[in-house]
Amino acid sequence: MAPQVETKVCNYLYAIVAHSQGCGRYGPIGIDGGEVYSLPDGQLAAVVSDVPNARLRPVRQHMAAHHAVHKCLMQEGALLPMSFGVIAEGPDAVRRILTLNRDAFVEQLRHVENKVEMSLVVKYDIPNIFEYFVRTHPELKAYRDQLFGGGRQPSEDDKIELGRLFDRILRDDRAELTQQVVEVLAPLCAAIKENPPRGESGVMNLACLIARDGQERFEHGILEAAGRFDDNFSFDYSGPWPPYNFVEVSLQM
């Protein structure tokens, strides 16, 4: 008979919360239906569940459980959401993480207390972005016509230069349009982070940290900002979310 291999139980970390906030147990909502509970240490608590090993694949069901726990915790108050895949080898290792990172955790919790994250994505709502820019930017139209006018066949270098000009104008427009929106939203936000736009049609991708009770004011701000744009743009906002973009802790383990 082959010898049985003992399975070592580890702790999967979902988030850090204030000790006073944690309820102790949250139910079987964790990875693979694991019971989610808090491990307190001083003024902090780590929210964890037990997992049978120190590695997990980032499959859809695991990611969904990870974010479901964050959503549950967000209803209670401030949290520092951990990125997917942080696993400690038992409660002692969890408490070591809390000890080593205590000052950073406390500072970050204070930063996001009574706040939530909202996201805003603005895109060009047009069938052909290059042709739109040719129509709206005389510099790009003149260079395009110079290269392709009179049946001329431009060289590869010419095409590259045209592409570079388009990219520069696209970047400049994105920056200018983003500034217009930020000017409207800044008074409504504790912080705004500009993430890279999504794809060529993306104009801006903003993460906004707002007061937990400030969602209605933020939505009015979105409507005000959108009113400055024409029908060639689409505005899509979502949330509230945990403050994923506003927690910056270099985790010591």
Side-chain angles (χ1 to χ4, degrees):
M1 180 180 295
Q4 291 185 341
V5 178
E6 183 179 352
T7 301
K8 184 174 183 179
V9 176
C10 299
N11 291 131
Y12 182 92
L13 273 73
Y14 298 93
I16 306 299
V17 299
H19 185 185
S20 59
Q21 177 182 316
C23 69
R25 293 195 171 272
Y26 301 88
I29 60 173
I31 300 289
D32 293 332
E35 180 78 17
V36 176
Y37 59 97
S38 61
L39 285 174
D41 186 70
Q43 63 197 118
L44 300 171
V47 179
V48 306
S49 68
D50 297 341
V51 290
N53 54 61
R55 287 189 179 181
L56 280 176
R57 294 177 57 203
V59 296
R60 180 179 299 179
Q61 64 190 44
H62 290 164
M63 298 292 291
H66 179 83
H67 291 296
V69 173
H70 290 168
K71 184 176 180 179
C72 174
L73 295 173
M74 196 180 79
Q75 307 309 311
E76 296 192 348
L79 72 147
L80 305 183
M82 296 290 102
S83 57
F84 180 86
V86 179
I87 300 176
E89 295 185 350
D92 289 343
V94 172
R95 293 188 176 95
R96 174 177 168 80
I97 291 173
L98 293 176
T99 298
L100 290 175
N101 299 275
R102 187 174 309 282
D103 290 345
F105 286 161
V106 170
E107 179 183 352
Q108 290 289 307
L109 278 171
R110 187 179 299 116
H111 177 59
V112 299
E113 186 176 7
N114 294 320
K115 298 180 182 70
V116 294
E117 180 176 317
M118 299 290 291
S119 67
L120 171 64
V121 174
V122 180
K123 295 182 178 181
Y124 290 106
D125 190 16
I126 47 183
N128 188 312
I129 295 175
F130 181 78
E131 290 302 325
Y132 170 79
F133 270 68
V134 167
R135 293 195 306 271
T136 55
H137 293 77
E139 178 186 6
L140 184 64
K141 182 179 187 304
Y143 192 56
R144 194 277 307 266
D145 291 348
Q146 175 186 331
L147 294 183
F148 290 89
R152 182 185 174 209
Q153 291 298 319
S155 67
E156 287 302 315
D157 287 343
D158 289 336
K159 293 178 182 178
I160 290 172
E161 285 303 314
L162 180 62
R164 286 175 176 167
L165 177 59
F166 169 63
D167 288 342
R168 177 179 64 77
I169 294 174
L170 179 63
R171 288 195 306 270
D172 290 348
D173 271 25
R174 282 171 169 168
E176 180 181 343
L177 296 171
T178 299
Q179 184 58 35
Q180 292 180 29
V181 172
V182 168
E183 286 177 357
V184 176
L185 297 183
L188 309 173
C189 302
I192 297 176
K193 181 177 179 181
E194 297 179 18
N195 292 312
R198 301 171 183 174
E200 189 177 67
S201 64
V203 180
M204 67 194 77
N205 179 15
L206 303 180
C208 303
L209 189 67
I210 69 169
R212 186 176 284 269
D213 62 357
Q215 185 172 342
E216 185 175 353
R217 294 190 298 273
F218 180 79
E219 291 173 353
H220 286 310
I222 295 291
L223 292 175
E224 179 183 342
R228 302 185 178 190
F229 290 69
D230 60 28
D231 291 341
N232 291 308
F233 299 86
S234 66
F235 279 64
D236 183 19
Y237 69 92
S238 60
W241 311 110
Y244 293 114
N245 282 278
F246 301 95
V247 174
E248 299 179 0
V249 176
S250 180
L251 195 63
Q252 298 184 54
M253 300 182 66

